């Protein structure tokens, strides 16, 4: 039975749940700002839009059109569902209708977004009364279709990965496209940050290089969700100035944003009720009232746990089966398309998703978004909240906080969230490892001229290095590729490895592929004896075959899931800069991070209690990156009146709190920063699980007498993107804020909101962490 959304919101605010609401903001409706169609627009394009019911464009849509007509590159940043697609389709279709030889490339970060855009264009094209064609060109495009795309497509819709490995290296087959390339569209600009964004910036420079070779100079139109630096990020991605359009002319319905902090259930330990059952409760309230709802989770495993519990509340009869679906990376494309269609046509009432649905995939109009845990950034929170809402009428978003320090900071200080600008998009196209990869790819595509640079002046040095390696040769004032290798095949834009693992179900008489897992996540998600959860169904992992890149699973019905146990250690490779700060030494530089899955815990559904454990043996993974760290001298450690194992607990409490303080300082997702305790040589490991960090059991976790502990915060991305240097500069501020967090947390002995759960870091961790920080910070103050 459907209940009015306003009534449900009123009952939440005025009922028992209201006592734990820390913020309730009502964002007013916003009227549309319309203008007339531009006089220079082709009549066929205007008539096609009018036939679709769009009688007038919004102000920001014509502003983009006018700037592009002046030959400018443009980035448009307006909220979700504000009509950004028309911003770039309008000038592109206008150009093709007026000149049938005109061509465009559309870049989307995912295949699903690309396929959505082709569907949108296919609906428009018949109304244009012109022979305009738009095709998807990605990994799923059949071979016979690819030839037709190359020869006939006016608009090629693809993704950065396919442009990098499937189009640019074969540019001689795409001469018609590159000779007439007038527009390059880059959608979802805000996703191009970190390693991925740094790679894409190099891919775009390779694209411009090839377009120039064929005599074209395309205009770039970029669209982005609201971030702090859209213009700067756009300019770094495409390598040239852009104009910013950020005044939104689209209408918006009224929206309620609520922050909910689960109640404390154990005062002494500061333990709150788990956010997972609380999020399930909110989702049940809305879904059982026939309110279209999306639930966002921060991790794949959490997605499946939430889906399992929500289905128990909502799908009460066989006829209800499929009302709530899961959605995450690893689902097969056919599954994802079916879920998207079900949301559009209403046969699916609710969906539980990772941030995979944070982007603009068309899933129709939803009424409510429930965020199970703070997504990690202000930008992501607004994006997820924006997936619920129509251009008219009421919508709502409820953030259910976990006990993590960052979640607690946001819900206890809502003005920080509502008053702060979203985060910056940070990239480093000059990262040596990334740049070297793309210099190879670019040299394969076209010879480098003497003095020509891809990103900066490092290009010449890198070409000289590649000449020594025997893969390029200088001749006639140019650098030529001489190797038989195909370099783009060995460069993944998104991760350390491009190899995914296939998950094969062997339950029945015939095997079937049910999903895939990326290389980095595989050791934690599909190690042998793990419980792999897919669309709420549980599978026991019988075998993980690294050579075949396959996991073989069997369906089971059990009441627990597994949480992998990682051992992490860091080795210092090179220190770029060092300075004293009181009694300690502070540095930043290059490090090598080692991680290895050594076991797992069995976690019971609903209660989330630990009901068992097991061991596994997997290869060690390595990541080369950048880090900030500080070393505590052994004399300071020796002067503290605590046993050495307790000192490790105190140090782990510091790094736990510091990690979260650093994320707030950088305004970045905590998952973009790694944190651990170790030593310079990489001989000391820490155990890490979903719940937090703890000492490695037994002698391996003991602190030697001459041990000088090092606390590391590192860029959790291969090669790094510049976080660590910023943390090095802010060291004194970070330690002062960390001490303040620990001092002012109301718990007695430590909790997930300050130094970590007591069952992980021990009952003395908070006291020792505070004592250590007070000595360090007072020493720094005295020496300044």
């Amino acid at each position: 039975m459907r209940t009015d959304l306003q009534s449900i919101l009123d009952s939440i605010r005025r009922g028992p749940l209201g006592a734990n609401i820390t913020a309730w903001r009502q964002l007013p409706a916003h009227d549309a700002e319309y203008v007339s169609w531009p006089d220079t627009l082709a009549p066929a394009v205007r008539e096609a839009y009018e036939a679709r019911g769009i009688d007038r464009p919004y102000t920001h849509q014509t502003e983009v059109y006018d700037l592009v007509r002046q030959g400018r590159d443009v980035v448009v940043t307006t909220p979700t569902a504000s009509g950004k697609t028309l911003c770039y389709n309008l000038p592109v279709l206008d150009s093709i209708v007026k000149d049938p030889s005109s061509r465009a490339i559309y870049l989307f970060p995912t295949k699903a977004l690309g396929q959505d855009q082709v569907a949108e264009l296919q609906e428009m094209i018949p109304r244009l009364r012109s022979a305009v064609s738009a095709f998807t060109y990605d990994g799923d495009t059949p071979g016979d279709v690819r030839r037709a795309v190359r020869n006939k497509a006016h608009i090629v819709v693809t993704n950065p990965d396919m442009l990098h490995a499937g189009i640019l290296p074969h540019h001689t087959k795409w001469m018609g496209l590159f000779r007439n390339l007038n527009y390059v569209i880059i959608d979802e600009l805000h996703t191009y940050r970190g390693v991925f964004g740094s790679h894409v910036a190099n891919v775009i420079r390779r694209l411009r290089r090839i377009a120039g070779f064929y005599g074209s100079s395309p205009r770039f139109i970029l669209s982005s969700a609201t971030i702090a630096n859209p213009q700067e990020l756009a300019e770094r991605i495409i390598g040239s100035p852009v104009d910013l359009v950020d005044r939104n002319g689209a209408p918006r319905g009224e929206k309620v944003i609520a922050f909910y902090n689960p109640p404390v259930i154990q005062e002494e330990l500061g333990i709150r009720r788990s956010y997972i059952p609380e999020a399930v409760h909110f989702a049940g309230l809305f879904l059982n009232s026939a309110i279209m709802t999306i639930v966002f989770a921060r991790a794949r495993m959490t997605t499946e746990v939430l889906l399992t519990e929500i289905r128990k509340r909502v799908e009460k009869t066989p006829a209800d089966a499929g009302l709530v679906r899961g959605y995450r990376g690893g689902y097969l494309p056919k599954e994802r398309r079916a879920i998207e269609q079900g949301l559009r046509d209403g046969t699916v009432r609710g969906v539980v998703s990772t941030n995979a649905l944070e982007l603009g995939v068309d899933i129709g109009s939803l009424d409510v978004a429930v965020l199970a845990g703070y997504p990690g950034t202000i930008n992501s929170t607004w994006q997820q909240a924006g997936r619920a809402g129509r251009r008219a009428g009421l919508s709502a978003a409820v953030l259910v906080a976990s006990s993590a320090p960052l979640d607690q900071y946001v819900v206890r200080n809502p003005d920080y969230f509502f008053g702060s600008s979203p985060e910056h998009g940070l990239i480093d196209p000059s990262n040596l490892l990334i740049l070297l990869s793309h210099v190879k790819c670019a040299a394969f595509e076209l010879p480098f001229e003497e003095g020509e640079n891809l990103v900066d002046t490092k290009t010449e040095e890198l070409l000289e290095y590649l000449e020594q390696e025997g893969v390029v040769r200088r001749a006639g004032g140019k650098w030529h590729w001489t190797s038989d290798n195909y370099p783009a095949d060995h460069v993944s834009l998104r991760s350390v490895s491009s190899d995914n693992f296939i998950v094969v179900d062997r339950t029945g008489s015939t095997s079937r592929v049910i999903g895939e897992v990326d290389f980095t996540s595989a050791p934690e998600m599909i190690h042998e004896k793990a419980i792999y959860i897919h669309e709420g169904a549980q599978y026991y992992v019988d075998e993980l075959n690294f050579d075949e890149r396959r996991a073989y699973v069997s369906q089971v019905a059990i009441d627990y899931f597994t949480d992998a146990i990682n051992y992490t250690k860091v080795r210092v490779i090179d220190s770029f800069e060092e300075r004293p700060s009181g009694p300690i030494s502070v540095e930043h530089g290059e490090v090598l991070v080692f991680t290895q899955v050594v076991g797992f815990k069995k976690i019971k559904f609903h209660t989330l209690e630990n009901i068992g454990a097991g061991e596994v043996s997997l290869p060690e993974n390595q990541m080369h990156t950048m880090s900030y760290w500080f070393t505590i001298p052994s004399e300071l450690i020796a002067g503290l009146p605590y046993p050495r194992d307790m000192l490790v607990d105190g140090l782990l409490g510091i790094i736990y709190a510091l990690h979260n303080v650093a994320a707030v300082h950088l305004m970045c997702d905590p998952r973009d920063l790694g944190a651990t305790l170790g030593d310079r040589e990489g001989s000391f490991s820490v155990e890490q699980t979903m719940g937090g960090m703890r000492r490695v059991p037994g002698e391996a976790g003991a602190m030697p007498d001459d041990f000088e502990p090092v606390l590391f915060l590192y860029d959790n991305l291969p090669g790094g993107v510049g976080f660590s240097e910023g943390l090095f500069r802010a060291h004194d501020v970070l330690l002062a804020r960390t001490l303040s967090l620990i001092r002012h947390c109301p718990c007695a002995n430590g909790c997930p909101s300050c130094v970590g759960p007591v069952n992980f870091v021990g009952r003395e961790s908070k006291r020792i962490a505070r004592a250590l920080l007070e000595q360090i910070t007072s020493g720094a103050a005295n020496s300044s």
Side-chain angles (χ1 to χ4, degrees), residues 4 16 34 148 152 233 281 300 316 371 389 531 565 626 665 748 776:
D4 176 66
Y34 293 108
K152 299 178 181 178
L233 179 59
H281 179 68
R300 296 174 183 180
K316 297 172 183 175
L371 282 56
I531 299 300
I565 299 171
M626 302 297 168
H665 175 80
I776 293 168

Side-chain angles (χ1 to χ4, degrees), residues 542-607:
D542 301 304
E543 179 188 353
L544 177 62
N545 189 313
F546 267 81
D547 294 333
E548 295 180 5
R549 296 290 191 264
R550 286 175 176 254
Y552 296 96
V553 303
S554 304
Q555 191 164 358
V556 293
I558 50 179
D559 63 348
Y560 71 87
F561 61 94
T562 50
D563 179 16
I565 299 171
N566 264 312
Y567 280 7
T568 304
K569 59 186 179 182
V570 177
R571 179 191 303 159
V572 175
I573 303 297
D574 189 16
S575 176
F576 296 158
E577 200 169 351
E578 179 179 4
R579 68 176 178 86
S581 177
I584 66 172
S585 171
V586 186
E587 301 173 69
H588 78 96
E590 285 182 75
V591 298
L592 199 57
V593 180
F594 302 87
T595 57
Q596 184 175 22
V597 174
V598 298
F600 60 92
K601 297 186 296 182
K602 298 177 181 179
I603 309 297
K604 191 175 179 66
F605 280 115
H606 191 62
T607 64

Side-chain angles (χ1 to χ4, degrees), residues 7 63 85 177 189 191 203 221 236 271 279 331 334 435 438 463 485 661 676:
S7 300
E63 187 179 353
T85 299
L177 173 70
L189 171 69
T191 65
V203 172
I221 306 174
R236 297 207 74 193
I271 295 175
Y331 284 16
K334 188 176 180 181
L435 181 56
H438 290 280
L463 287 167
N485 289 334
V661 167
T676 195

Side-chain angles (χ1 to χ4, degrees), residues 164-225:
H164 152 68
I167 296 178
L168 297 182
H170 307 289
H171 59 85
T172 54
K173 296 180 180 180
W174 295 84
M175 286 191 291
L177 173 70
F178 287 112
R179 280 175 179 160
N180 300 286
L181 186 61
N182 285 330
Y183 290 101
V184 177
I185 309 304
I186 303 177
D187 197 24
E188 306 286 355
L189 171 69
H190 59 281
T191 65
Y192 298 114
R193 60 187 181 88
V195 169
F196 183 40
S198 303
H199 275 295
V200 170
N202 280 277
V203 172
I204 295 302
R205 283 156 177 79
R206 287 163 49 201
L207 167 65
R208 298 187 81 145
R209 193 168 173 260
I210 289 170
F213 176 77
Y214 288 101
S216 65
S217 179
R219 296 271 63 81
F220 285 81
I221 306 174
L222 306 95
S223 72
S224 174

